């Protein structure tokens, strides 16, 4: 095992100063070494066999104005996917109840669009409040947010906002041309500023 993967205390610390060499060591490490290190880090902060369960619902599918190169919901690509409108509240609530009955503790609602438009805000807030009233944690992924929107989502009962960074800034234009890496950081700053947990990663 590389010495990096043996240093569990170091791996367990949040950090943003990884070198390319260290990232390369992890990338090339044998899978079982990675699994062992990941479990060791996990057990430092969480009970060994507890799994947090989330269920995801696409509340508005396809026809997205963005051109993320990995996504079949983009209107820029001919993927055969049929676009649909925003789901009605009742349908979302019945899906959330079903998720809860199935053991999910967090319900995530995702909309395929570029940003949350003011005309949809109230409908989305009603969904968040409704799901929260079931005793579940709430999560949404709604693209870019402008000033004030994150606060309104938080007031409606939002716990988590998913917003992925997609790829490194220097490669961003090769994957997506309709927004910038900085746009992503700006939305994440608004989410954090409103006290909402951030759910983010590469993709
Ligand atoms: S913003 Fe989301 S839904 Fe739209 S193309 Fe990108 S990944 Fe797909």
């Amino acid at each position: 095992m590389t010495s990096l993967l043996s240093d569990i205390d170091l791996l367990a610390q949040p950090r943003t100063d990884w070198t390319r060499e260290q990232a390369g060591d992890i990338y090339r490490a044998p899978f079982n070494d990675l699994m062992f290190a990941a479990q060791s880090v996990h057990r430092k902060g969480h009970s060994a066999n507890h799994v947090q369960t989330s269920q995801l619902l696409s509340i508005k599918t396809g026809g997205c104005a963005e051109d993320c190169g990995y996504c079949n919901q983009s209107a820029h690509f001919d993927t055969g996917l049929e676009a649909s409108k925003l789901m009605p509240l009742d349908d979302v609530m019945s899906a959330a109840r079903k998720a809860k009955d199935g053991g999910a503790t967090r319900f995530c609602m995702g909309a395929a669009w570029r940003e949350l438009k003011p005309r949809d805000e109230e409908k989305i807030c009603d969904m968040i409040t409704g799901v929260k009233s079931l005793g579940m944690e709430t999560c949404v992924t709604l693209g870019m947010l402008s000033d004030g929107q994150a606060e309104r989502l938080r007031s409606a009962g939002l716990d988590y906002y998913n917003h992925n960074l997609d790829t490194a800034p220097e490669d961003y234009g090769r994957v997506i041309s309709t927004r910038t890496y900085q746009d992503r950081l700006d939305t994440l700053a608004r989410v954090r500023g409103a006290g909402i947990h951030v759910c983010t990663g590469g993709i």
Side-chain angles (χ1 to χ4, degrees):
M1 196 182 311
T2 69
S3 58
L4 179 63
L5 288 184
S6 307
D7 193 342
I8 300 305
D9 286 333
L10 178 72
L11 289 174
Q13 296 302 316
R15 51 184 290 206
T16 55
D17 58 352
W18 294 95
T19 64
R20 281 181 183 270
E21 194 181 41
Q22 287 173 324
D25 283 349
I26 291 174
Y27 179 74
R28 285 183 292 273
F31 186 68
N32 285 347
D33 287 354
L34 281 176
M35 287 287 289
F36 184 72
Q39 270 296 306
S40 302
V41 170
H42 176 80
R43 287 169 192 228
K44 279 184 83 72
H46 303 276
S47 62
N49 294 308
H50 177 75
V51 177
Q52 187 272 317
T53 46
S54 302
Q55 190 157 325
L56 176 65
L57 175 70
S58 176
I59 56 172
K60 189 263 167 195
T61 303
C64 182
E66 301 279 53
D67 69 349
C68 308
Y70 50 79
C71 182
N72 69 342
Q73 299 200 71
S74 168
H76 295 258
F77 313 125
D78 183 12
T79 64
L81 184 76
E82 205 173 313
S84 65
K85 293 201 162 121
L86 185 62
M87 280 175 76
L89 176 63
D90 285 352
D91 292 357
V92 173
M93 289 304 297
S94 87
R97 280 189 205 95
K98 219 165 150 188
K100 186 179 179 185
D101 290 346
T105 58
R106 187 181 307 164
F107 194 65
C108 311
M109 295 163 274
W113 57 39
R114 177 175 164 76
E115 76 269 293
L116 175 57
K117 297 219 165 47
R119 64 164 188 246
D120 292 317
E121 260 187 50
E122 196 179 331
K123 291 178 202 154
I124 295 290
C125 285
D126 286 348
M127 291 175 192
I128 292 168
T129 304
V131 171
K132 189 80 178 170
S133 74
L134 300 178
M136 302 182 85
E137 290 183 313
T138 55
C139 174
V140 292
T141 180
L142 305 170
M144 288 185 274
L145 298 178
S146 49
D147 285 342
Q149 288 186 315
E151 285 75 9
R152 290 193 281 283
L153 296 174
R154 179 75 190 122
S155 299
L158 185 63
D159 297 306
Y160 289 82
Y161 196 90
N162 167 260
H163 204 58
N164 289 321
L165 287 172
D166 304 301
T167 189
E170 57 268 38
D171 287 323
Y172 211 77
R174 292 198 304 128
V175 180
I176 299 142
S177 72
T178 47
R179 61 169 184 263
T180 65
Y181 190 79
Q182 187 60 46
D183 288 332
R184 299 306 261 186
L185 296 183
D186 291 347
T187 288
L188 287 170
R190 291 183 176 109
V191 168
R192 276 196 306 272
I196 300 167
H197 297 292
V198 167
C199 165
T200 192
I203 199 163

